[in-house]
């Protein structure tokens, strides 16, 4: 039996039932809370969720074989428990590559064309000319060269931008659309000279708190820093300090250390900081693509074959 758990706001944006494949032969049921799905724990062998699984109670699902995550990030899952149970965890890697890369480019254009000034002038009913720039010949550093990073590079190349990437292993020639590739170990020394730096990193022991004040200070004062990966990669107090001291030109955050972002956070006070509530990824197309991936994996699951997008419990992504 397939259990669809909708106990997260991510899945409440759209009606999951509208996107679930209609030709699935297995019995399936939608649950609004973990307590509800827990009542059917002996029947469930597949769970579709977005990370809200009880770490201890999940161990009572004796027939659970596979958890399909609607999200790419899996840091909120009870990974140790699932590993101990021998459950396969897969995610939606690649599904949100188009939407997030489009979001990042939209923010880059907004900074380049000074659209924030246009919005403010409209509010103030002020007809006033102001300076603008171009993306042409700018330099973009993409930290995290997974499916989102590669799609962002593909699209950004159309603006005649110099594009560099950062990843753990640097072997062979640079992938398509990347002019240069640097190892993660050299991240800080390559920050200078870039107009835009985009972080698309997962949440791991190595990435948490990665972007501290010294990291921001090593960037150029012209740099726009953007984070569409995981919120815990950024020490927000250090970003606030960097913005206050003019160490970077501006920033964009779609993810945060604690969500929802508190209304008392000083991050709200900066005119040169764009904030979105962790919505760069989900669109109607997101769920369509996710269900295509789920259905493909379901066919492999029935045949006892290896699934796509399996999470490594050791690497945590």
């Amino acid at each position: 039996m397939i259990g669809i758990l909708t106990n997260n706001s991510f899945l409440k944006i759209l009606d999951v039932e509208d996107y679930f494949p209609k030709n699935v032969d297995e019995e399936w049921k939608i649950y609004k809370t973990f307590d509800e799905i827990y009542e059917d724990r002996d029947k469930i062998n597949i769970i579709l969720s977005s990370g809200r699984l009880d770490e201890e109670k999940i161990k009572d699902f004796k027939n659970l074989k596979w958890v399909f995550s609607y999200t790419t990030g899996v840091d909120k899952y009870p990974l140790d428990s699932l590993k101990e149970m021998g459950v396969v965890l897969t995610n939606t890697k690649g599904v949100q590559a188009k939407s997030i890369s489009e979001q990042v480019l939209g923010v880059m254009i907004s900074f380049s064309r000074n659209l924030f000034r246009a919005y403010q002038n409209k509010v103030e009913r002020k007809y006033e000319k102001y300076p603008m720039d171009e993306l042409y010949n700018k330099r973009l550093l993409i930290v995290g060269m997974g499916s989102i990073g590669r799609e962002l590079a593909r699209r950004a190349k159309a603006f005649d931008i110099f594009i560099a990437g950062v990843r753990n292993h640097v072997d062979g020639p640079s992938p398509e659309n990347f002019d240069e590739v640097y190892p993660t170990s050299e991240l800080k020394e390559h920050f200078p000279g870039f107009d835009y730096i985009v972080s698309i990193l997962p949440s791991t022991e190595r990435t948490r708190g990665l972007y501290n004040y010294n990291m921001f200070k090593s960037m150029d004062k012209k740099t726009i820093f953007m984070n569409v990966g995981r919120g815990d990669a950024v020490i927000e107090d250090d970003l606030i300090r960097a913005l206050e001291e003019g160490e970077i030109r501006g920033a964009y955050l779609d993810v945060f250390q604690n969500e929802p972002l508190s209304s008392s956070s000083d991050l709200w006070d900066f005119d040169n900081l764009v904030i979105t509530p962790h919505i760069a990824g989900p669109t109607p197309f997101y769920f369509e693509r996710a269900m295509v991936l789920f259905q493909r994996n379901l066919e492999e699951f029935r045949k006892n074959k290896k699934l796509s997008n399996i999470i490594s419990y050791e690497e945590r992504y």
Side-chain angles (χ1 to χ4, degrees):
M1 179 176 174
I2 302 172
I4 305 172
L5 188 57
T6 61
N7 63 337
N8 184 282
S9 58
F10 182 86
L11 298 184
K12 294 175 183 176
I13 297 174
L14 298 166
D15 190 343
V16 176
E17 191 169 3
D18 289 344
Y19 295 91
F20 193 76
K22 300 297 187 283
N23 58 345
V24 171
D25 295 330
E26 289 84 353
E27 179 185 359
W28 58 275
K29 182 177 178 182
I30 295 176
Y31 302 87
K32 295 182 179 180
T33 67
F34 187 84
D35 287 338
E36 286 184 11
I37 197 172
Y38 187 76
E39 293 298 317
D40 286 338
R41 58 191 179 277
D42 293 335
K43 303 177 184 178
I44 302 289
N45 62 348
I46 299 173
I47 291 180
L48 281 72
S49 181
S50 58
R52 306 298 181 182
L53 305 178
D54 187 282
E55 186 170 1
E56 291 301 321
K57 288 185 176 180
I58 194 66
K59 296 177 182 178
D60 294 331
F61 286 68
K62 304 302 182 183
N63 295 311
L64 182 62
K65 303 297 181 185
W66 170 31
V67 173
F68 175 88
S69 171
Y70 274 100
T71 59
T72 302
V74 295
D75 49 294
K76 295 181 180 179
Y77 279 85
L79 301 180
D80 293 333
S81 295
L82 294 176
K83 177 183 178 181
E84 179 183 330
M85 296 167 63
V87 173
V88 174
L89 173 63
T90 66
N91 69 357
T92 51
K93 181 179 67 175
V95 167
Q96 55 190 348
K98 294 184 183 300
S99 56
I100 292 182
S101 61
E102 188 173 300
Q103 181 85 352
V104 170
L105 284 170
V107 173
M108 291 172 61
I109 291 171
S110 294
F111 272 107
S112 175
R113 306 303 291 177
N114 209 352
L115 294 180
F116 307 115
R117 180 75 171 272
Y119 302 147
Q120 186 59 40
N121 282 355
K122 184 175 184 298
V123 171
E124 298 176 4
R125 307 176 75 87
K126 183 188 297 182
Y127 186 84
E128 174 187 72
K129 295 184 185 296
Y130 47 85
M132 293 191 295
D133 201 348
E134 299 180 16
L135 290 181
Y136 168 75
N137 211 31
K138 293 298 186 293
R139 293 170 60 88
L140 167 65
L141 179 65
I142 300 174
V143 186
M145 295 172 58
S147 55
I148 298 172
R150 295 193 301 272
E151 179 66 8
L152 173 58
R154 185 184 72 83
R155 294 182 172 210
K157 207 61 183 174
F159 292 89
D160 297 319
I161 296 174
F162 175 90
I163 302 173
V166 176
R167 63 182 180 185
N168 289 332
H169 307 290
V170 179
D171 299 308
S174 298
E176 187 177 6
N177 300 310
F178 286 90
D179 298 289
E180 293 181 358
V181 176
Y182 317 129
T184 306
S185 58
E186 300 177 3
L187 177 62
K188 184 179 177 181
E189 64 186 76
H190 289 291
F191 279 156
F194 283 95
D195 301 277
Y196 300 92
I197 296 175
V198 184
S199 179
I200 321 177
L201 295 174
S203 177
T204 68
E205 291 183 4
R206 290 177 293 179
T207 63
R208 294 186 192 105
L210 175 65
Y211 298 101
N212 55 30
Y213 178 75
N214 288 331
M215 283 288 201
F216 292 120
K217 191 174 176 60
S218 68
M219 300 177 188
D220 279 4
K221 294 186 183 298
K222 67 179 180 178
T223 298
I224 303 296
F225 172 77
M226 296 177 276
N227 186 19
V228 291
R230 306 307 288 177
D232 59 11
V234 175
I235 300 178
E236 291 172 2
D237 287 343
D238 287 5
L239 174 59
I240 289 171
R241 180 184 172 189
L243 289 169
E244 288 176 338
E245 297 178 359
E247 296 296 346
I248 58 176
R249 179 187 165 198
Y252 165 54
L253 300 177
D254 183 57
V255 289
F256 304 88
Q257 289 177 329
N258 296 297
E259 298 182 5
L261 180 65
S262 171
S263 60
S264 63
S265 172
D266 291 339
L267 291 170
W268 294 105
D269 298 332
F270 292 92
D271 293 335
N272 57 342
L273 170 60
V274 181
I275 291 174
T276 53
H278 205 154
I279 57 170
T283 69
F285 298 104
Y286 182 100
F287 287 93
E288 289 180 8
R289 296 170 188 140
M291 287 300 95
V292 169
L293 177 59
F294 169 73
Q295 193 161 20
R296 187 187 311 135
N297 259 346
L298 180 60
E299 293 174 1
E300 299 302 297
F301 178 81
R302 292 167 178 157
K303 302 173 184 176
N304 292 317
K305 293 186 176 181
K306 185 177 180 179
L307 307 185
S308 301
N309 289 5
I310 293 179
I311 296 300
S312 166
Y313 290 119
E314 287 70 30
E315 297 289 339
R316 311 306 245 195
Y317 65 88

